[in-house]
Amino acid sequence: MEHNSSRRAPKKPGAVRAAETVFGTIFKYFTKVMTYALNIVMTLVLIFVITGSIMGTVFALYIKDYIDGSFDIDNLRVDSNLTTSIYFRDIDELGETVWKEDEEERIHGTENRLWVSYNELPKNLINAFVAIEDKRFFTHPGVDLNRMVKAIIGFVTGKDEGGGSTITQQLIKNVTGDDDVRVQRKIQEILRALDLEKRRSKEEIFEMYINTIYLAQGANGVQAAAHVYFNKDVKDLTLVECAALASIPQNPSKWDPVRYPENNKKRRNDQVLWEMYQQGLISQQEFDEAYNAELVLSRGTDDTKTQVAVIHNYFVDAVMDQFIADYTAQYKVSAEIAKQLLFSGGLQIYTTMDKRIQGIMEKVYEDDANFPDTSSAGVKPESAMVIMDQEHGDVVGLVGGRGEKTVARGFNRATQAKRQPGSAIKPLTVYSPALELGLVNYATTFDDTPFRYDTQLKRMWPSNSPAKYEGVINLNYALTNSKNTVAVRIMNMLTPQTAFKFATEKFHMSTFVDSLRMPSGEVKTDMTLSAMALGGLTYGVKVIDMAAAYCTFPNNGVYNKSRLYIKVLDKDGNIILSNEEQPEVILSEETDALMVAMMKNVVANGTAQKLKLQNSVDCAGKTGTTSLRRDLYYVGYTPYYTGAVWYGYDSNLELPSGGESPALYLWDVIMTEIHQPYIDAAKSGGEPLKKFVNSSKIIERYICKDSGKLATENCKLDLRRPQGCRVEKAYFTQATVPTEYCDCHVLVDYCEDWNCVAGPNCKHTHKVALVKTPYREFETQTYVVDAQYTYMELPDGYVYPSDTSLPYYINLYPSDRYPGKTAGVQRPANSFCVEDNYGMTDKFYSANRPPDKGDPNKIPVAPSP
């Protein structure tokens, strides 16, 4: 049959065609939607994969760069039979430096018989801790995934029934003391646990854990806890006692058998003993007997009291504290671990102690005759002292209290007490920073008058000690005589913020407060004029910090951190701590030389001039006295040693006024005996005594005390005696040496008959020099020593006052303002001669004429510099 290509298929019914159209449309739409959805899903999957890869890579890099997953317990396992030795340097017969052991200061293992080896642990104790704390301890690799997942689920659902940490993880937490809830810390703990399990056996890990875990009542480790709760050795513990101890770690405050016996009973019976029974670690009979047994407490002592009461000297106490601090910092372990190692690790500690110096200090401090009888209510004042070798920063001697030391590792005032330094802080926060920054020089003048009127206290501020204002003085005099007004004025130029930074970053003062919010909401800071200029700090300073800071001055501006030991070796002779010198230049050679020169004047002419040692050895330093004499300081140095002394009551009582400062006296007595061998050797023709040597960069000039400029003949015509006293030798750097001459001494006619400023009618006159000073205007009458020698220019037509008790220029002032007055002077030298110029009678003149004191111009004048 021939094919007819033009023949058409029969048409479908309309309903069918309509249905096909609808279903076709739906299918196309469905296909489109599915394709779109599939694209979204695939995109999300791709994003998830890419993001996951990126996050995984970032996480891996984060762990690599920021998380240290390595951990071992080398040097942490101790043996109570080992003894830590203390060494000091000495000189042998040939004059060579040798190390000697201080046999009297050995740190015996018997002082800390708290460590117990795994083999000595009762089986029930091991089983009790494993059953309740980590039942898969002997099979997991350091991390128990089952417990971890349950802990996470419990945390999310709010049904947390215990942590996911294994014994290995708990050990790491105990050793490092790191218990933060940060994710980084937890990841690091997990990685360290896995690493530790590869390095150490389960027995070693458990032994370290059981000896370091905290068990309430101040007990660290099961041996200490056995003594605290049951007054017995750990090997003698019963099953119920083992269960009681195993109940504590999960929440020591809650399960403490002393404070909460019922809580402990419930946990040990229903959880610890039950888990031991369920895990087949004890029999039914053992469970029943222990469940019904009464826990009998026989209170012993905590771990510190079970130690043999070995009383070391203050220096060794400080070394022990420093070792614990340094070891915990370097090895990221807890203080308890470092303490265990110190007492029982068989260490060798090479200290900086000088036995001769330490002995001298102890002898002086143990003798009450060296302390004034200033007891208050039966309480004696205390004191502390630190002596350092300034060249290396080595502490050579240290005492932390007066009298014979009777307490093992008691409070050490030399290294732990924070007391107010008073003016002893000024060289660190005021003078050396201002010199270093070029704000002042040796002869810069300031007006020793109040800085402001304190409206709250209704008095002028600050006051000086002694309580007087002297007027114009220079920097050297201000430091020599500890003038508070000048310190505040300099601080106002310097700013407290700059001084704070200088003291903390250069002198490394560790107790200054940047910002501290008190419970009351008040914010405390040491960045104030009063704190930085006068030493009224939030907490105060440590004696050892003051000694280290002052060592900078006799060491050419080089600061060394104080050190009590040089190195520490473990029982095998390996160095585990090295305390190398870290010299840091913080002051220029010129600034340092100027500071030494000024602080020599403090001893020669100022607040420390009672030092007897200065008659034999160069001495320099600075005193410090707080308000109400609650704290006395003296920090001084020689070319050999630097020493800092604090004296006061622990309870912050007021010390009696008057007399020599006990801090200064103690420094003098001790330092004199320390230096005696050098003095004797020099006298017998041996090595000459060392001297402070001025820098070759320092230039000497004679200057006027009142202007700070080069002196002139007018400076010698000042009315103050002796003639020429306003001229002195001063020291400068090349950049600050003065080139201008004094212009503040102004010549005026002086009435010889009435000893005052002459008028045109005075019969007998000669020239004297009064001093142009900074303009002074006080709200209340203020006494200033140099007020009667001051000068002011007068305008044309000025009317002189008729009151001879006031300066000639008083009419320039408003009636309610004052220029200052010299105390105890009826008629100031700068008053006006009313007798000759306001028509006084010859009779009055003859009756009241003062005795002839001679012509000041006839007094020999010192030669010009």
Side-chain angles (χ1 to χ4, degrees):
M1 181 183 224
E2 185 178 347
H3 176 67
N4 186 355
S5 59
S6 63
R7 186 179 178 182
R8 297 180 178 179
K11 290 185 178 181
K12 296 179 182 180
V16 173
R17 291 199 305 273
E20 288 179 346
T21 301
V22 171
F23 283 115
T25 302
I26 293 173
F27 179 77
K28 289 179 180 179
Y29 181 76
F30 177 75
T31 302
K32 185 176 181 180
V33 170
M34 289 301 294
T35 301
Y36 182 71
L38 184 61
N39 286 337
I40 293 176
V41 171
M42 292 302 294
T43 301
L44 291 175
V45 169
L46 184 60
I47 292 173
F48 178 79
V49 171
I50 294 173
T51 304
S53 299
I54 294 172
M55 291 298 292
T57 302
V58 170
F59 185 67
L61 292 173
Y62 174 79
I63 291 176
K64 177 178 179 295
D65 293 338
Y66 297 100
I67 297 182
D68 180 10
S70 61
F71 190 81
D72 200 359
I73 52 177
D74 285 337
N75 294 322
L76 299 183
R77 188 186 186 285
V78 297
D79 187 335
S80 61
N81 294 320
L82 297 178
T83 296
T84 290
S85 299
I86 300 294
Y87 291 87
F88 64 94
R89 280 178 292 200
D90 200 5
I91 305 296
D92 64 12
E93 297 79 2
L94 301 176
E96 300 291 331
T97 300
V98 295
W99 287 101
K100 290 185 178 179
E101 182 184 359
D102 190 344
E103 297 181 0
E104 296 178 354
E105 298 295 342
R106 287 175 176 169
I107 303 173
H108 297 279
T110 53
E111 294 180 61
N112 195 47
R113 286 192 178 278
L114 302 174
W115 194 272
V116 57
S117 67
Y118 183 84
N119 295 330
E120 296 173 314
L121 294 171
K123 184 177 179 181
N124 281 331
L125 186 70
I126 298 172
N127 290 339
F129 274 88
V130 170
I132 194 64
E133 291 294 327
D134 186 5
K135 65 183 179 181
R136 284 179 285 275
F137 170 69
F138 287 102
T139 58
H140 65 60
V143 178
D144 190 334
L145 295 179
N146 292 341
R147 295 188 67 190
M148 188 180 297
V149 171
K150 288 181 181 179
I152 294 172
I153 294 174
F155 177 78
V156 173
T157 60
K159 298 179 180 180
D160 188 9
E161 297 180 357
S165 295
T166 63
I167 282 178
T168 310
Q169 290 173 269
Q170 290 182 53
L171 167 61
I172 292 168
K173 192 184 304 180
N174 294 340
V175 167
T176 61
D178 192 350
D179 196 23
D180 290 345
V181 294
R182 295 175 291 113
V183 174
Q184 176 185 342
R185 200 276 305 170
K186 195 64 180 178
I187 293 171
Q188 180 169 266
E189 180 187 285
I190 291 171
L191 295 177
R192 286 180 167 182
L194 295 171
D195 185 62
L196 181 58
E197 292 266 357
K198 296 175 183 177
R199 298 172 182 262
R200 299 290 170 175
S201 68
K202 292 287 186 179
E203 291 76 14
E204 289 179 294
I205 293 171
F206 189 85
E207 179 183 319
M208 176 60 68
Y209 163 79
I210 209 71
N211 280 288
T212 58
I213 194 164
Y214 181 63
L215 294 166
Q217 293 293 318
N220 287 279
V222 290
Q223 183 73 296
H227 282 279
V228 167
Y229 297 115
F230 312 116
N231 200 20
K232 63 170 65 173
D233 194 87
V234 68
K235 67 179 183 342
D236 298 322
L237 294 177
T238 65
L239 173 57
V240 68
E241 291 167 345
C242 291
L245 294 184
S247 302
I248 300 173
Q250 195 251 4
N251 190 336
S253 61
K254 182 178 181 180
W255 308 125
D256 182 339
V258 174
R259 297 179 62 196
Y260 304 105
E262 290 303 316
N263 288 357
N264 184 272
K265 180 178 180 180
K266 180 176 178 59
R267 179 163 169 80
R268 73 173 180 266
N269 284 348
D270 297 345
Q271 296 182 51
V272 178
L273 290 172
W274 176 251
E275 283 295 333
M276 292 179 74
Y277 173 68
Q278 287 291 310
Q279 296 173 33
L281 299 174
I282 56 175
S283 65
Q284 178 72 55
Q285 181 180 350
E286 290 174 314
F287 173 77
D288 292 339
E289 291 176 354
Y291 193 94
N292 296 311
E294 180 183 356
L295 182 69
V296 179
L297 298 177
S298 178
R299 297 304 307 282
T301 53
D302 63 18
D303 60 337
T304 58
K305 294 176 183 176
T306 56
Q307 298 170 9
V308 178
V310 176
I311 300 173
H312 300 285
N313 66 36
Y314 281 111
F315 192 104
V316 174
D317 277 2
V319 169
M320 294 161 72
D321 291 339
Q322 193 62 57
F323 168 82
I324 292 171
D326 292 348
Y327 194 86
T328 56
Q330 181 165 327
Y331 290 95
K332 304 296 185 291
V333 299
S334 67
E336 185 60 32
I337 294 297
K339 179 181 172 184
Q340 293 275 13
L341 181 62
L342 171 67
F343 277 99
S344 304
L347 306 178
Q348 301 171 53
I349 303 179
Y350 291 81
T351 74
T352 59
M353 177 173 57
D354 185 308
K355 281 285 286 184
R356 182 181 73 89
I357 292 175
Q358 182 66 25
I360 291 171
M361 296 175 72
E362 290 174 6
K363 180 186 69 175
V364 171
Y365 266 76
E366 288 173 6
D367 187 353
D368 266 353
N370 292 310
F371 294 83
D373 184 14
T374 54
S375 300
S376 178
V379 179
K380 294 180 179 179
E382 274 294 348
S383 181
M385 183 175 189
V386 173
I387 298 178
M388 293 178 61
D389 165 12
Q390 53 245 15
E391 185 178 354
H392 305 286
D394 292 346
V395 177
V396 293
L398 177 155
V399 284
R402 64 182 287 188
E404 183 181 356
K405 189 172 185 288
T406 58
V407 178
R409 299 194 70 201
F411 185 57
N412 195 333
R413 297 169 187 82
T415 58
Q416 296 173 325
K418 301 172 186 176
R419 299 303 296 248
Q420 298 300 336
S423 294
I425 204 67
K426 292 174 183 175
L428 310 180
T429 57
V430 180
Y431 291 99
S432 61
L435 282 169
E436 187 73 1
L437 296 175
L439 299 178
V440 295
N441 62 56
Y442 185 99
T444 300
T445 57
F446 296 89
D447 202 17
D448 176 24
T449 54
F451 182 71
R452 65 168 177 250
Y453 183 77
D454 192 320
T455 55
Q456 290 185 335
L457 298 177
K458 298 186 183 308
R459 62 179 174 83
M460 305 303 284
W461 181 86
S463 59
N464 288 319
S465 180
K468 68 176 181 178
Y469 301 110
E470 297 197 44
V472 176
I473 58 176
N474 61 31
L475 189 80
N476 169 58
Y477 187 91
L479 175 57
T480 299
N481 294 278
S482 199
K483 294 297 182 179
N484 291 335
T485 53
V486 175
V488 170
R489 291 180 187 278
I490 296 173
M491 187 57 61
N492 194 49
M493 300 163 52
L494 182 66
T495 76
Q497 291 75 19
T498 300
F500 183 95
K501 186 175 182 180
F502 203 97
T504 55
E505 295 183 6
K506 290 186 177 291
F507 287 112
H508 300 278
M509 302 303 292
S510 65
T511 55
F512 284 22
V513 173
D514 181 354
S515 179
L516 176 67
R517 183 171 294 278
M518 306 300 288
S520 63
E522 178 188 6
V523 177
K524 293 252 185 187
T525 179
D526 287 334
M527 282 187 276
T528 66
L529 281 176
S530 178
M532 288 292 95
L534 307 179
L537 303 166
T538 303
Y539 291 129
V541 296
K542 294 181 180 180
V543 179
I544 194 169
D545 285 350
M546 290 292 281
Y550 268 71
C551 278
T552 303
F553 301 121
N555 197 34
N556 299 316
V558 178
Y559 174 89
N560 275 300
K561 180 182 178 182
S562 62
R563 61 176 184 172
L564 294 157
Y565 69 88
I566 295 172
K567 61 183 177 180
V568 180
L569 276 56
D570 65 14
K571 61 182 183 296
D572 299 318
N574 302 308
I575 295 178
I576 58 174
L577 285 177
S578 180
N579 201 6
E580 299 293 334
E581 295 178 39
Q582 298 177 352
E584 179 184 353
V585 178
I586 65 171
L587 297 177
S588 66
E589 181 182 333
E590 296 93 329
T591 294
D592 189 73
L594 294 175
M595 289 300 299
V596 171
M598 290 192 292
M599 282 194 275
K600 281 180 65 178
N601 288 333
V602 172
V603 175
N605 307 302
T607 56
Q609 60 185 292
K610 289 187 178 182
L611 282 183
K612 295 182 179 64
L613 181 59
Q614 68 170 311
N615 298 324
S616 304
V617 180
D618 274 4
C619 295
K622 184 70 185 75
T623 56
T625 305
T626 62
S627 59
L628 300 180
R629 285 176 62 90
R630 297 184 190 278
D631 299 278
L632 300 177
Y633 249 103
Y634 180 66
V635 192
Y637 49 91
T638 71
Y640 299 89
Y641 297 107
T642 298
V645 182
W646 165 82
Y647 182 90
Y649 287 100
D650 284 336
S651 54
N652 211 31
L653 296 172
E654 181 179 349
L655 291 162
S657 60
E660 182 179 359
S661 165
L664 190 69
Y665 174 81
L666 288 166
W667 191 96
D668 200 16
V669 169
I670 290 173
M671 285 295 222
T672 296
E673 188 168 351
I674 287 172
H675 287 77
Q676 197 61 49
Y678 306 114
I679 298 170
D680 293 342
K683 286 181 178 179
S684 61
E687 183 177 348
L689 287 169
K690 295 180 181 179
K691 299 284 187 181
F692 292 132
V693 179
N694 265 349
S695 168
S696 59
K697 298 180 180 179
I698 296 300
I699 301 169
E700 296 181 3
R701 290 288 187 273
Y702 283 88
I703 53 94
C704 170
K705 292 180 181 180
D706 300 298
S707 66
K709 299 177 181 180
L710 296 173
T712 68
E713 291 300 317
N714 284 0
C715 302
K716 299 172 185 176
L717 296 178
D718 190 285
L719 285 168
R720 283 164 281 189
R721 296 291 191 267
Q723 195 76 11
C725 69
R726 307 314 295 167
V727 179
E728 72 173 359
K729 182 165 65 175
Y731 304 93
F732 301 93
T733 66
Q734 187 64 51
T736 61
V737 65
T739 56
E740 297 179 345
Y741 286 88
C742 172
D743 56 1
C744 75
H745 276 100
V746 180
L747 295 181
V748 299
D749 289 323
Y750 195 70
C751 178
E752 298 176 12
D753 296 319
W754 298 99
N755 293 325
C756 58
V757 174
N761 297 321
C762 289
K763 301 178 177 62
H764 307 94
T765 66
H766 64 268
K767 295 292 186 182
V768 300
L770 296 181
V771 185
K772 286 192 294 185
T773 61
Y775 179 72
R776 300 168 182 164
E777 185 176 292
F778 305 117
E779 296 179 20
T780 60
Q781 186 61 273
T782 301
Y783 293 102
V784 184
V785 172
D786 74 349
Q788 67 168 329
Y789 306 113
T790 56
Y791 169 88
M792 287 186 70
E793 295 282 353
L794 300 178
D796 292 339
Y798 177 79
V799 178
Y800 286 89
S802 60
D803 189 342
T804 59
S805 67
L806 298 172
Y808 72 91
Y809 53 76
I810 188 63
N811 287 340
L812 295 177
Y813 281 78
S815 60
D816 60 347
R817 291 292 184 271
Y818 306 89
K821 184 176 182 180
T822 302
V825 175
Q826 293 290 330
R827 182 170 191 168
N830 59 0
S831 63
F832 183 67
C833 180
V834 299
E835 291 83 357
D836 288 339
N837 295 282
Y838 286 172
M840 293 291 186
T841 64
D842 290 340
K843 181 178 180 181
F844 180 89
Y845 183 94
S846 176
N848 293 279
R849 180 173 179 171
D852 186 7
K853 296 181 180 179
D855 185 353
N857 286 327
K858 294 180 181 179
I859 299 175
V861 176
S864 299

